Amino acid sequence: MAPEQMAEGPEADAALPPPRPLDAIDQDILRILQSDGRASIRSVAERVHVSRANAYARINRLVEDGVIRSFGARVDHERAGQGTSAYITLTIVQNSWRSVREQLRELPGASHIALVGGDFDVLLLVHTPDNRALRELVLTRLQAIPEVLSTRTLLVFEEEDLEPSG
């Protein structure tokens, strides 16, 4: 499926059908594809004991329903030249989330953005080549966003992906 056909962002959510319950076969298909997004339809079908047509139809339904948002590769950021990772907390002007989110999406190395409740408003995960690039991102790019009132940077020393790894 082409990337432009994948559901993305809150705007796409409005076009999605209501969530349907997932049965055990759907759950197994999701586990297989999370572990190996390149698994062939044939391989998936064999592993969940259904026909290829059934597996193909189920995967298409999971995509159309927005359960599967995209297919991609998990990247080892350090080996890809992005050896510094940090979580950055942001306190923002009230009711500015949508504007701030759009500006954060444009940041180089931004990997995950979440609106959260608590002592701060936004949690941002970034990957940069080194500490100098991280400093530039925080002090120049983030703090130049008018709606950002304050930031706090939490340097990641070690990380582990908890999703299935194949």
Side-chain angles (χ1 to χ4, degrees), residues 36-79:
D36 179 8
R38 294 175 56 177
S40 68
I41 297 289
R42 179 178 160 196
S43 166
V44 171
E46 288 173 357
R47 291 171 63 185
V48 299
H49 309 293
V50 298
S51 70
R52 281 185 290 188
N54 188 328
Y56 183 80
R58 283 173 177 267
I59 292 169
N60 275 346
R61 181 180 49 79
L62 291 167
V63 169
E64 289 166 5
D65 286 357
V67 175
I68 296 176
R69 295 184 301 184
S70 66
F71 294 88
R74 276 195 222 92
V75 175
D76 181 320
H77 295 284
E78 191 169 352
R79 294 186 60 84

Side-chain angles (χ1 to χ4, degrees), residues 95-136:
N95 296 321
S96 65
W97 162 242
R98 286 175 180 81
S99 169
V100 170
R101 178 183 60 202
E102 294 311 310
Q103 294 173 76
L104 296 178
R105 284 180 174 165
E106 301 300 318
L107 291 175
S111 176
H112 184 85
I113 306 166
L115 176 66
V116 298
D119 294 337
F120 48 88
D121 304 306
V122 178
L123 184 62
L124 171 67
L125 173 61
V126 297
H127 304 284
T128 62
D130 52 35
N131 286 349
R132 182 179 305 255
L134 176 62
R135 183 183 70 222
E136 175 73 16

Side-chain angles (χ1 to χ4, degrees), residues 145-162:
I145 298 172
E147 300 90 348
V148 173
L149 301 174
S150 67
T151 64
R152 186 171 186 187
T153 303
L154 307 165
L155 194 59
V156 174
F157 294 126
E158 187 175 318
E159 59 188 318
E160 182 177 339
D161 188 356
L162 297 179

